[in-house]
Amino acid sequence: MKKILQYFVILLFSFSTVAQNEIKLSNLQCEMLVNPLGIDVLQPRLSWQIITDKSEVEQTTYQILVASSAEKLASNNADLWDSGKVESNASVNVIYAGKKLNGKDEAYWKVKISTNRGETQWSEIAYWSMGILTYADWKSTRWIGYNQLFPGDSVSQFSKLSARYIRKQIDLNKNVKKAKVYIMGMGLYELYINGEKIGNYVLAPVPTDYTKNVKYNVFDVTSQLKQGENVLGTILGNGRFFAMRQEYKPYKIKSFGFPKMALQLDIEYEDGTSETIKTDETWKFTPNGPIRSNNEYDGEVYDARKEITNWNNVGFDDENWLNLTWVEEPGGFPEAQMTPNMKVMGEVKPISIAATKTGSYILDMGQNMVGWLQLKVKGNSGDKVTMKFAESLKEDGSLYIANLRDARVTDEYILKGEGEEIWEPKFIYHGFRFVEVSGYNYKPAITDFVGKVVYDDMETTGSFECSNPTMNQIFKNAYWGIRGNYKGMPIDCPQRNERQPWLGDRTTGAYGESFIFDNQTLYAKWLDDIKFSQTLDGGIPDVAPAFWRYYGDGVTWQGAYIKVADMLYNQFADENVIKNHYPYMKKWMAYMEANYLKNDLMDKDKYGDWCVPPESLEIIRSQDPTRLTDGEVLSSAFYYHLLQIMKKFAHIINATENDISHYDDLSERIKMAFNKKYLNTSTFSYANNTVTANVLPLAFGMVPEELKQKVFQNMVHEVEVTKQGHVSTGVVGIQFLMRTLTENGRGDLAYKLASNKTYPSWGYMVENGATTIWELWNGNTADPEMNSQNHVMLLGDLLVWYYENMAGIKSNPDYPGFKQIIMKPDFKAGLNYVNASYKSIHGLIKSHWKQNKSKLSWNITIPVNTSALVYLPTANASKVKINKDRLDKSSENYKTEEDRLVLELKSGTYSININ
Ligand code: BGC
């Protein structure tokens, strides 16, 4: 962990010290720098960024050196790999091609490049080490646990199990040179050495289907160990592992058993010897610590009177503790965790505290947030403070909890009575804006409470602001909703008794999110979750990891597997995900074809165009056939779309001609059957003429060319006239609506949808006090049974549209990872200005434009070693100035496309003015 910190310091330092006109390298990354201590990819990918004040800089060659020690690398003794000078402009995802690496090997590397504007020195030295690569290398490390309930524990609909406090004293009789610990702690763990918590994570590790794969975390703990006695301590919480509603619906919900752990501590001594400490039956534990219960849905109960002073440090007498026993392995293969753990990523201070008639207090955090509440309290030993969480209030001012179903969402803190006590939970989280706190015999101060915002430790990479305040608030709501629903996997919602990684919620959502968060490793992990949940015959579930065993065999939900992989390729140039998952995707496509293709149409759908605005404001699911789109229409069109993407993947990985021709033939057949059955050539509409039924074939290129305009006009009529400029789609149609309108010339109508404040719209949510995105368009009035106030699926392609169509920041599909940027804002849609930025894997992209009737100014930044196609809203070059030079006199190359000039610009910052 420390190493990672150091790393970031180096990185920031080199950013701020770049001298004018020098070309330097920074941000050296191995597999995205998640945890360079534990890489279990045999051929890691290396990336770097070029920083310089010079413009129009392109890399022409690189040379990478990798050595087994820093000393060797310093003297250019690249005993692992010398790439030689390679003529290439690749600066991201360069695959290590040196000597075969073994488990726990260390690798130090640096890179030097030449560019069209000069050479660099060798970069700073960066580092990674390999994780434990084979099952055999976990050898005699034992999984330990204790398969038994203790007093106070219960297995029921509301299961309870106290956290387990584990300790092991070790005696080291030499000076430690280096030490690394590898830990698997299920469901959740915290690790301590000599009383100090290791790492700044919470709720670790990321959840998986533990019967399929189990994530281990790695930490450098050199500075925590000392010669003499040391104590390793862990606390195990339940997370998704132990009976969380499993007893309630055992047929549906997976259970993994009692918490358990396995740990290896590798120590190298200064005298050259080494030792490995491993979990075994000599480790001791107590179930009698202060965390009496921890259940993700129901909350945490903490009895401070039961705190055990010094339990994780030397000098504690553990004589009365029990010995852990050898327990069965969870079953899953151990893997290095390549996506970050969760962390407290921010704090929220309540904006008000109000007394209720019953003597409790209601806190308003001012924001629907995900995490927990930290409190400061005084009282007598045994006093109990209770916190209950909700997203909104009822009219009488009390908590609205009807939409949480049976989640109890209640934390309890029992005081030890020793002056001021500060507490926050460890193994649960809540989704909430309001908290009712009770049990006080005095009026607590508002400053006694802090909301902790908890989600995956990932960087915010995008910003967006524009001239429309409603759109800005929607953006903010999306930002809060997305980050709250990252929990080591993308979940549907953070508050009710669900919190499941539903595939269909992120099919396109993941793409929009990628403009705001560095979500690459999270989604790469999720694709693995999906892969691991695939059945032998090829089916994939609706929820992955399949904590809920739903194998509904739809296309629109399951299609997320392929769409998210495409997003990772497009946004992050991640070819590996295509290579790794292609066989499984192909298998699923074939499975669907074999089982559900009838008369060249896909006859299987489970959820329909989920959550369309219904006929009455109180209901969840519409029964009105004019609002619903036939399942065969949805799944056939979507399957056609997926075939196109599979074809693209097949080209990327050089799959056989057979694959490609199969995708071609089948998609042709589906298109024909689809148009034959559903296209009405006199009304130019599909099926029952819902917007969704029309937008899918338009977006996927299924409409015969000569009818495209007419079908589009018909759909526009539906949106503009029939629905009076409002959305009428559910989760499926909304993924394509904004871009399809804009790319066919009606950006103004898309803008109307985005800026609307009346029902149904995103702005309607804002008008009604939403600070996140709702599950339902009618989320303020609908039945509470399925009505989360923090779901992100209705965002559809809205965020993609913000960035690609309004800001003009889009990766050219032919040059993934923003190697070439398409900057083509729709200036006519209705906005007066946009100011957006996106930190791509190649560097920071900026687009800031402002216009009035006579003038447009546009400032753009294009990262080093990339280029941009910049579309100007005029065909008249003499009106354009770039960095003060008139375009017609400058040496820039440009071409004209329809009524626009298109410039190809290399890296740098440009100020464009059009009069
Ligand atoms: C979830 C959704 C999910 C849907 C599928 C709901 O309960 O919250 O987000 O996609 O079920 O039916």
Side-chain angles (χ1 to χ4, degrees):
M1 220 59 208
K2 228 169 152 191
K3 268 251 156 62
I4 300 180
L5 280 180
Q6 266 170 19
Y7 228 73
F8 278 115
V9 173
I10 293 171
L11 183 161
L12 291 175
F13 183 68
S14 56
F15 261 119
S16 57
T17 55
V18 59
Q20 199 95 34
N21 283 334
E22 257 184 274
I23 302 173
K24 283 201 169 187
L25 299 170
S26 81
N27 202 5
L28 272 59
Q29 301 196 2
C30 171
E31 287 298 317
M32 286 77 72
L33 197 65
V34 171
N35 187 347
L37 296 180
I39 303 281
D40 66 357
V41 177
L42 284 179
Q43 288 184 291
R45 292 165 295 175
L46 305 175
S47 306
W48 54 91
Q49 269 174 24
I50 305 162
I51 40 171
T52 176
D53 285 356
K54 290 185 183 179
S55 50
E56 308 199 332
V57 176
E58 279 176 314
Q59 175 185 301
T60 50
T61 70
Y62 68 78
Q63 182 174 14
I64 297 170
L65 299 185
V66 188
S68 56
S69 75
E71 296 73 38
K72 283 185 183 151
L73 189 63
S75 57
N76 292 346
N77 174 4
D79 58 339
L80 293 175
W81 188 38
D82 178 350
S83 71
K85 204 167 183 177
V86 181
E87 270 178 40
S88 164
N89 65 4
S91 53
V92 300
N93 296 329
V94 174
I95 296 171
Y96 170 84
K99 270 198 197 136
K100 182 174 178 290
L101 296 165
N102 296 310
K104 300 183 182 179
D105 273 359
E106 306 211 309
Y108 295 79
W109 69 285
K110 59 185 180 183
V111 58
K112 183 183 189 166
I113 64 159
S114 40
T115 75
N116 56 334
R117 316 268 321 252
E119 285 212 340
T120 66
Q121 304 292 316
W122 284 109
S123 68
E124 311 252 8
I125 290 181
Y127 165 88
W128 86 84
S129 66
M130 300 301 283
I132 299 178
L133 296 184
T134 62
Y135 182 71
D137 282 341
W138 286 95
K139 311 193 241 270
S140 47
T141 300
R142 299 275 178 257
W143 278 92
I144 52 172
Y146 207 84
N147 293 343
Q148 188 185 304
L149 298 173
F150 289 90
D153 297 340
S154 71
V155 175
S156 67
Q157 180 175 345
F158 307 97
S159 290
K160 283 172 115 183
L161 189 78
S162 66
R164 289 159 179 217
Y165 289 71
I166 296 172
R167 79 188 296 277
K168 169 76 185 169
Q169 180 160 323
I170 51 173
D171 296 329
L172 312 177
N173 47 20
K174 300 175 198 172
N175 269 334
V176 175
K177 184 172 159 219
K178 205 182 242 180
K180 255 188 244 166
V181 65
Y182 302 79
I183 178 169
M184 297 185 275
M186 310 285 110
L188 304 172
Y189 75 89
E190 284 199 349
L191 172 66
Y192 298 83
I193 294 183
N194 300 330
E196 185 186 327
K197 186 176 162 192
I198 305 303
N200 56 3
Y201 58 85
V202 297
L203 303 171
V206 291
T208 53
D209 178 340
Y210 310 99
T211 62
K212 303 287 171 66
N213 63 330
V214 169
K215 297 291 184 185
Y216 66 85
N217 292 157
V218 189
F219 301 97
D220 185 321
V221 291
T222 311
S223 61
Q224 278 85 9
L225 291 172
K226 54 184 199 293
Q227 187 169 7
E229 289 176 352
N230 294 269
V231 168
L232 301 173
T234 46
I235 311 177
L236 290 185
N238 303 323
R240 295 277 161 129
F241 206 79
F242 175 77
M244 201 184 60
R245 293 294 186 279
Q246 283 103 342
E247 292 304 312
Y248 170 49
K249 287 188 179 169
Y251 54 90
K252 176 172 99 172
I253 304 176
K254 252 191 172 166
S255 181
F256 303 91
F258 286 87
K260 51 184 72 171
M261 68 176 284
L263 173 151
Q264 262 194 37
L265 168 63
D266 280 348
I267 305 172
E268 270 177 51
Y269 293 108
E270 275 174 0
D271 68 0
T273 59
S274 63
E275 181 178 8
T276 299
I277 312 278
K278 296 167 184 175
T279 37
D280 61 25
E281 297 92 315
T282 64
W283 290 50
K284 298 193 108 179
F285 91 106
T286 179
N288 237 331
I291 301 180
R292 304 311 309 146
S293 169
N294 62 100
N295 182 312
E296 191 174 326
Y297 295 150
D298 299 332
E300 190 157 307
V301 177
Y302 189 93
D303 187 344
R305 295 170 304 182
K306 296 182 86 76
E307 281 174 2
I308 310 165
T309 312
N310 224 20
W311 68 274
N312 50 11
N313 216 331
V314 283
F316 176 81
D317 180 3
D318 61 16
E319 181 134 314
N320 294 326
W321 285 29
L322 297 163
N323 275 82
L324 284 155
T325 57
W326 169 83
V327 289
E328 215 175 309
E329 299 179 3
F333 192 83
E335 291 183 332
Q337 183 175 315
M338 301 293 281
T339 187
N341 279 315
M342 278 175 258
K343 221 176 89 175
V344 173
M345 298 292 282
E347 291 191 345
V348 175
K349 303 241 164 79
I351 56 170
S352 70
I353 178 165
T356 69
K357 287 195 195 107
T358 57
S360 63
Y361 298 88
I362 300 233
L363 296 168
D364 179 358
M365 308 307 291
Q367 170 64 52
N368 196 350
M369 57 169 281
V370 184
W372 54 67
L373 190 71
Q374 182 196 64
L375 60 78
K376 201 157 60 180
V377 60
K378 271 188 187 160
N380 298 318
S381 173
D383 288 355
K384 181 165 91 181
V385 174
T386 303
M387 288 144 270
K388 193 158 177 91
F389 298 80
E391 293 182 291
S392 55
L393 298 179
K394 295 198 277 206
E395 258 171 32
D396 66 2
S398 62
L399 298 184
Y400 175 75
I401 49 168
N403 70 336
L404 306 179
R405 301 182 183 155
D406 75 354
R408 289 182 162 168
V409 295
T410 305
D411 292 348
E412 286 176 12
Y413 179 76
I414 301 162
L415 282 76
K416 55 191 165 194
E418 293 170 9
E420 188 173 279
E421 299 175 33
I422 295 178
W423 177 78
E424 61 192 280
K426 276 193 198 305
F427 295 129
I428 55 93
Y429 65 89
H430 305 288
F432 64 102
R433 171 169 169 176
F434 298 93
V435 195
E436 179 172 11
V437 292
S438 54
Y440 284 85
N441 53 20
Y442 63 93
K443 179 172 190 230
I446 196 166
T447 48
D448 291 347
F449 306 97
V450 185
K452 301 281 177 115
V453 179
V454 174
Y455 64 100
D456 301 38
D457 183 9
M458 59 171 74
E459 196 182 349
T460 299
T461 45
S463 67
F464 184 94
E465 205 207 329
C466 68
S467 52
N468 185 283
T470 299
M471 278 177 59
N472 289 339
Q473 186 62 40
I474 295 167
F475 183 83
K476 199 172 161 213
N477 291 8
Y479 168 77
W480 276 93
I482 294 162
R483 61 187 194 147
N485 282 302
Y486 283 156
K487 291 283 165 288
M489 57 187 173
I491 55 169
D492 59 341
C493 58
Q495 72 297 73
R496 68 178 179 222
N497 67 354
E498 187 158 0
R499 312 182 187 196
Q500 296 299 324
W502 286 93
L503 270 63
D505 294 29
R506 307 293 179 139
T507 311
T508 296
Y511 183 9
E513 294 159 21
S514 74
F515 283 102
I516 313 181
F517 295 99
D518 180 7
N519 60 13
Q520 179 182 6
T521 59
L522 174 75
Y523 276 108
K525 180 254 177 195
W526 198 42
L527 293 187
D528 288 342
D529 292 335
I530 298 173
K531 177 187 85 181
F532 279 117
S533 66
Q534 186 167 41
T535 54
L536 275 181
D537 56 1
I540 56 178
D542 311 4
V543 168
F547 296 122
W548 285 8
R549 255 171 289 157
Y550 278 163
Y551 283 80
D553 281 355
V555 177
T556 51
W557 257 244
Q558 278 67 7
Y561 188 27
I562 291 168
K563 290 283 287 176
V564 171
D566 192 34
M567 178 285 275
L568 291 172
Y569 177 73
N570 198 55
Q571 303 293 90
F572 300 99
D574 192 343
E575 241 179 73
N576 270 14
V577 294
I578 316 287
K579 282 189 201 136
N580 295 343
H581 292 280
Y582 183 85
Y584 307 96
M585 293 169 172
K586 181 176 156 183
K587 187 169 178 185
W588 174 70
M589 291 292 281
Y591 166 85
M592 292 304 289
E593 183 188 338
N595 289 298
Y596 303 112
L597 192 79
K598 302 209 172 87
N599 304 321
D600 291 342
L601 290 170
M602 194 46 81
D603 183 26
K604 188 70 178 25
D605 177 67
K606 188 162 176 201
Y607 301 111
D609 191 14
W610 190 243
C611 300
V612 295
E615 49 279 22
S616 116
L617 287 176
E618 295 74 40
I619 63 172
I620 297 169
R621 289 184 195 88
S622 172
Q623 303 298 328
D624 173 2
T626 66
R627 291 166 195 263
L628 302 173
T629 306
D630 190 274
E632 190 178 74
V633 172
L634 300 174
S635 48
S636 302
F638 219 91
Y639 191 80
Y640 173 87
H641 178 52
L642 297 175
L643 285 167
Q644 307 298 308
I645 304 175
M646 287 303 286
K647 184 174 152 188
K648 169 177 150 188
F649 290 173
H651 281 291
I652 293 169
I653 65 157
N654 287 322
T656 64
E657 274 305 315
N658 273 351
D659 282 14
I660 296 170
S661 59
H662 178 68
Y663 300 138
D664 267 340
D665 293 348
L666 186 54
S667 49
E668 246 348 271
R669 274 161 45 204
I670 291 178
K671 185 160 78 179
M672 274 179 58
F674 187 80
N675 286 333
K676 186 159 172 228
K677 180 158 177 191
Y678 291 112
L679 174 58
N680 182 329
T681 49
S682 45
T683 55
F684 309 112
S685 62
Y686 278 89
N688 58 343
N689 199 25
T690 57
V691 170
T692 297
N694 290 300
V695 78
L696 300 184
L698 279 165
F700 303 155
M702 299 174 84
V703 186
E705 199 48 44
E706 66 284 4
L707 298 181
K708 213 178 133 190
Q709 260 315 308
K710 297 212 159 110
V711 172
F712 180 69
Q713 289 313 333
N714 161 63
M715 183 186 82
V716 163
H717 182 84
E718 276 306 297
V719 178
E720 194 164 34
V721 182
T722 316
K723 305 291 183 229
Q724 298 185 359
H726 289 87
V727 290
S728 57
T729 56
V731 170
V732 179
I734 201 68
Q735 296 173 38
F736 306 95
L737 185 58
M738 300 299 282
R739 286 171 295 170
T740 304
L741 285 172
T742 308
E743 281 152 24
N744 289 285
R746 290 303 307 270
D748 62 317
L749 188 52
Y751 172 69
K752 175 145 181 37
L753 297 179
S755 56
N756 250 343
K757 296 182 191 177
T758 48
Y759 177 78
S761 65
W762 300 283
Y764 173 78
M765 301 177 190
V766 170
E767 286 298 295
N768 285 280
T771 55
T772 39
I773 306 293
W774 296 340
E775 178 173 25
L776 303 172
W777 295 111
N778 50 331
N780 55 333
T781 49
D783 191 295
E785 178 52 29
M786 197 194 90
N787 195 355
S788 130
Q789 293 167 26
N790 190 1
H791 245 70
V792 290
M793 63 190 182
L794 285 184
L795 282 169
D797 70 349
L798 183 68
L799 294 172
V800 180
W801 177 82
Y802 270 44
Y803 280 88
E804 294 190 349
N805 302 90
M806 293 299 107
I809 300 179
K810 174 180 163 113
S811 182
N812 185 340
D814 296 332
Y815 302 90
F818 296 85
K819 183 79 179 154
Q820 185 174 69
I821 308 148
I822 297 182
M823 307 192 86
K824 191 181 182 183
D826 187 338
F827 296 106
K828 292 194 210 128
L831 289 169
N832 299 324
Y833 83 84
V834 172
N835 188 2
S837 69
Y838 170 62
K839 211 166 166 188
S840 75
I841 51 168
H842 283 97
L844 186 66
I845 303 167
K846 287 193 200 169
S847 171
H848 182 190
W849 57 263
K850 272 199 295 259
Q851 65 182 355
N852 57 32
K853 282 201 183 76
S854 56
K855 233 173 89 179
L856 170 88
S857 73
W858 190 9
N859 294 326
I860 60 181
T861 300
I862 303 165
V864 183
N865 204 29
T866 70
S867 66
L869 295 177
V870 180
Y871 288 73
L872 304 178
T874 176
N876 186 347
S878 67
K879 287 183 164 182
V880 180
K881 267 188 186 170
I882 296 183
N883 296 342
K884 303 212 174 76
D885 295 326
R886 287 246 167 246
L887 182 60
D888 48 348
K889 297 202 188 96
S890 75
S891 59
E892 296 300 339
N893 283 331
Y894 62 86
K895 56 181 184 173
T896 311
E897 226 182 83
E898 289 162 16
D899 54 351
R900 294 194 186 225
L901 293 176
V902 188
L903 316 176
E904 182 170 353
L905 298 179
K906 303 267 159 62
S907 72
T909 292
Y910 300 86
S911 161
I912 301 172
N913 281 287
I914 305 178
N915 284 312

